[in-house]
């Protein structure tokens, strides 16, 4: 993170100091500063992207999901990564590194984008922030964080760009406050006028006296904020919002919320293989082939744009009985035509839903296909995106 969130006086490890020693050949999952908070709340902890994270609390995934849709939920997202890019070529480097057009951003604006490999596959998805004084911040996912940063460093060096890079991930705390009640809750603790902060905009401000980057973004399909701050303040802010009425929410409901909202999961729905590039996934609006910068993967993505074959990513409802799981075969007339990448029960839609890749031409809304569940075919129907839209169940 930038400014006070990257000061040396607040630097500390994200995992707890009392983490038990492991054998030399075993890498123990990291812990965020909220690990004990989650345990004390009765959360079920799981390994995710190299971190021990809460998958659900005693109320359960469905109740947590409903709380975010109707009220306000809070997520621990301290495991995610934040890269600071400063200097004359900061925006140019970000534009060369990612698929969207960073040059189109106004100060304080955020942008969803992809980090691609040379083959056009998705190494990660990210949010890029543009700020004055030649400053950009890139927010990435936990699992590919190290490789993402190494690729950024290598790209800057290869092109001789005038930039200073900082991996601020270990010094930065992050909480997501999401739901229709998020603005009212956060506004109680800040003088920043949140009503004037538009979607995918960010501003520096104070929350309960703590210097924060307040971003009107999220991964739930609801209104909400992602807050970035010095990591030493994480527990204090978590307790502030939980005591104020935010419902602790785990990875389980985060997944069902984003799946209903047709938001892809990096590494699953969009992934490194060339045939699972963002264009064929249907997210071409985040790939600007004509932005005038030879960004990583551009040539391969141009070939994909010109190729009507390959695979396409679909969203679907299950019309029969059964739960679609990742890697279950998708069938058409007895022949496998693809596979599921994400699947679950959608509490708001009250349907079993999923995402998956199928042969091009089978991705049109209304197409009837089947998923093999426990060795039997179960009907599915291709749906438009998003399957859930805020305010419309």
């Amino acid at each position: 993170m930038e400014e006070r969130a990257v000061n040396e006086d607040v630097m500390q490890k994200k995992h707890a100091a009392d983490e038990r020693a492991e054998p030399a050949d075993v890498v123990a999952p990291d812990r965020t500063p909220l690990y004990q908070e989650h345990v004390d709340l009765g959360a079920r902890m799981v390994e995710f992207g190299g971190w021990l994270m809460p998958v659900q609390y005693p109320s359960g995934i469905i109740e947590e999901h409903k709380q975010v849709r109707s009220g306000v939920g809070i997520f621990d997202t301290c495991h995610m990564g934040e890269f600071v890019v400063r200097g004359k070529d900061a925006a140019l480097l970000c534009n060369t590194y990612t698929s969207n057009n960073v040059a189109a951003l106004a100060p304080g604006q955020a942008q969803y984008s992809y980090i691609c490999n040379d083959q056009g596959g998705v190494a990660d998805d990210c949010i890029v922030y543009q700020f004055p004084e030649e400053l950009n911040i890139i927010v990435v996912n936990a699992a590919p964080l190290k490789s993402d940063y190494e690729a950024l460093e290598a790209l800057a060096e290869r092109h001789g760009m005038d930039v200073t890079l900082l991996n601020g991930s270990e010094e930065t705390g992050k909480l997501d406050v999401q739901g229709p009640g998020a603005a009212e809750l956060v506004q109680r603790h800040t003088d920043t006028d949140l009503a004037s902060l538009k979607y995918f905009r960010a501003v520096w401000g104070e929350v309960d006296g703590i210097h924060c980057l307040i971003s009107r973004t999220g991964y739930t399909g609801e209104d909400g904020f992602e807050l970035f701050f010095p990591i030493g303040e994480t527990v204090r802010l978590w307790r502030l919002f939980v005591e104020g009425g935010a419902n602790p929410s785990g990875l389980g409901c985060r997944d069902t919320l984003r799946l209903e909202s047709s938001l892809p999961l990096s590494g699953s729905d969009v992934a490194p293989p060339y045939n699972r590039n963002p264009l064929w996934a249907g997210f071409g609006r985040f790939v600007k082939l004509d932005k005038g910068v030879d960004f990583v993967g551009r040539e391969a993505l141009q070939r994909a744009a010109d190729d009507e074959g390959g695979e396409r990513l679909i969203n679907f409802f299950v019309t029969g009985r059964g739960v679609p799981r990742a890697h279950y075969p998708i069938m058409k007339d007895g022949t496998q035509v693809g596979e599921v990448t994400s699947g679950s029960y959608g509490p708001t839609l009250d349907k079993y839903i999923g995402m998956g890749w199928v042969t091009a031409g089978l991705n049109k809304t209304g197409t009837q296909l089947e998923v093999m569940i426990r060795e039997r075919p179960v009907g599915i129907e291709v749906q438009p995106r998003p399957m859930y839209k805020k305010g419309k169940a």
Side-chain angles (χ1 to χ4, degrees), residues 11 47 71 160 173 176 233 333 378 388:
M11 292 177 64
E47 191 278 333
D176 294 7
E233 303 288 359
D333 299 328
V378 175
Y388 164 85

Side-chain angles (χ1 to χ4, degrees), residues 318-383:
V318 177
T319 57
R321 296 183 63 183
V323 184
R325 304 292 188 194
H327 308 301
Y328 281 11
I330 298 177
M331 313 294 290
K332 176 70 172 177
D333 299 328
T335 299
Q336 183 171 351
V337 294
E339 71 168 6
V340 176
T341 52
S342 295
S344 182
Y345 174 66
T348 312
L349 300 171
D350 193 23
K351 297 179 185 293
Y352 285 99
I353 59 177
M355 300 178 80
W357 286 85
V358 298
T359 303
L362 297 177
N363 57 310
K364 296 179 181 178
T365 297
T367 299
Q368 303 292 316
L369 301 169
E370 295 173 329
V371 171
M372 294 301 295
I373 300 177
R374 296 182 179 178
E375 300 183 352
R376 66 180 181 86
V378 175
I380 63 173
E381 181 179 292
V382 178
Q383 297 297 308

